[in-house]
Amino acid sequence: MATIKDVAMDAGVSVGTVSNVINGGKVSEERRQRVERSIQKLGYQVNGIARKMRTQRTDYVVVILPNIINPFYSLLLQGLEHALSAYDKQPLLCISDGEKEKEIKYIEMARANKVDGIIGVTFSDVEEYLDDTLAFVSIERRFSKNIPCVSGDNYLGGRMAAENLARRGATNLLLVQTIMSVDNEVRKRRLGFEGYCEENEIPYASITFSEKQVPSVYSSFSARSLIGSVLQAHMNNQMTENGRPNGIFAGTDHLAVVIQEELEQMGLCVPEDVQLVGYDGLRWMNTGQPFVSSIYQDTGMIAKTSVDCLMRLMNGEAVEDIVDLPIVFQDGGTTLPLPETDIKEKQGIMLPILEGEDRR
């Protein structure tokens, strides 16, 4: 394999001249042509990463995700790749499994290799490892430093879930959510849900699990067992003064699927006995029918907004949090139809009155 020294010798110039040609430095046109002919003749391969590191831009962006088992993160990754490619950037995927040590390692790796920046979903205590020397955009997690956060409108999403359950006939509501130890936007789903219930005098109860209690709804038998036992206690009126819930809001679609399975094992039918709303708007194979009725958030929009924020940070611009990206209610068959009193006819088209209703 030819080296830069081979190119210099063949072209009759110094190594420095070859380097200037490769990196766009000042070189006479005659010498440039000689070097380019030698590069082509010898088949010399330019080290693109090394060249870009010398110019302080690598065109690589580190993307830190907890996992890609969850289709939400897979869709988010796809959206990030599309958005980054529009800026001629490429993602370097780092899977953290939610572990602080891994996230720290990835942040330090990004800094050492002078990547252009990081877009991360992290719920660990890593703030002390972040500073102004590395552009960082956080998704669904606020940091106290000058790090922009991008998220859908989680507070409105929680209200929308409660409203849709109530409008569809649920009279006693239950929230089930996993809460991370660090402050994040996802917590606002509970605030919005409870706020709507209290404003409208709807009986409700809330179940919250820590990330240690429910580390994963995908593979943890103990977590699913805990969810099932607590849910059964509520459905048997052992933990509520309001009677058995007939409407449940789950903090994620995957949690909603687990709850639906548990309800069916108890002999309850969804949505006839208990209506169920999840969050994220996931679909079978990412393109088919929705898992459950859900609050849909556009991963493509979240990704594009995050990348746009990162590009602005890299250009030295001030960037504010964007935590009000639009969300809509998506009917997935685990809620009853709206009653006729909540539907109006306009120009021959039946339109739900509810704000944020998904009409696709």
Side-chain angles (χ1 to χ4, degrees), residues 106-123:
Y106 296 145
I107 292 169
E108 294 302 323
M109 178 271 292
R111 180 176 285 109
N113 288 280
K114 299 182 180 179
V115 301
D116 292 353
I118 299 177
I119 298 175
V121 179
T122 167
F123 300 108

Side-chain angles (χ1 to χ4, degrees), residues 46 63 186 198 212 221 225 315:
V46 178
V63 174
V186 176
E198 291 172 3
K212 292 183 179 180
F221 175 79
S225 178
N315 291 329

Side-chain angles (χ1 to χ4, degrees), residues 124-255:
S124 302
D125 184 16
V126 297
E127 188 164 2
E128 64 180 295
Y129 299 92
L130 304 174
D131 55 43
D132 294 337
T133 64
L134 182 63
F136 190 105
V137 174
S138 173
I139 297 177
E140 291 193 333
R141 158 83 184 280
R142 286 182 184 268
F143 290 92
S144 60
K145 294 180 180 178
N146 187 28
I147 297 172
C149 173
V150 175
S151 174
D153 194 334
N154 286 274
Y155 182 82
L156 178 59
R159 292 183 62 87
M160 194 179 291
E163 180 183 22
N164 274 276
L165 287 168
R167 291 284 188 90
R168 286 166 166 75
T171 56
N172 183 16
L173 305 186
L174 177 66
L175 165 76
V176 185
Q177 186 178 18
T178 299
I179 300 294
M180 300 296 179
S181 57
V182 297
D183 188 22
N184 60 80
E185 290 298 305
V186 176
R187 290 185 174 188
K188 292 182 179 179
R189 297 174 190 176
R190 175 182 179 178
L191 298 177
F193 173 87
E194 294 180 346
Y196 182 87
C197 290
E198 291 172 3
E199 291 170 17
N200 293 275
E201 299 182 347
I202 300 172
Y204 76 91
S206 296
I207 303 173
T208 56
F209 300 103
S210 71
E211 70 267 36
K212 292 183 179 180
Q213 290 176 305
V214 183
S216 172
V217 296
Y218 317 109
S219 58
S220 173
F221 175 79
S222 61
R224 291 182 68 118
S225 178
L226 175 63
I227 293 169
S229 61
V230 174
L231 182 64
Q232 188 166 30
H234 277 268
M235 302 311 292
N236 291 338
N237 301 330
Q238 297 174 8
M239 298 182 69
T240 176
E241 299 176 355
N242 305 317
R244 190 180 76 188
N246 57 5
I248 298 177
F249 172 39
T252 66
D253 285 345
H254 279 88
L255 185 55

Side-chain angles (χ1 to χ4, degrees), residues 241-300:
E241 299 176 355
N242 305 317
R244 190 180 76 188
N246 57 5
I248 298 177
F249 172 39
T252 66
D253 285 345
H254 279 88
L255 185 55
V257 170
V258 171
I259 290 172
Q260 183 175 7
E261 292 173 354
E262 293 294 332
L263 291 172
E264 290 172 350
Q265 289 182 14
M266 297 177 202
L268 298 172
C269 295
V270 177
E272 291 81 3
D273 297 322
V274 184
Q275 298 189 66
L276 181 62
V277 173
Y279 207 104
D280 287 333
L282 301 180
R283 295 172 177 268
W284 292 107
M285 303 300 291
N286 293 334
T287 58
Q289 294 298 313
F291 288 144
V292 293
S293 295
S294 182
I295 307 303
Y296 168 80
Q297 49 182 347
D298 189 338
T299 53

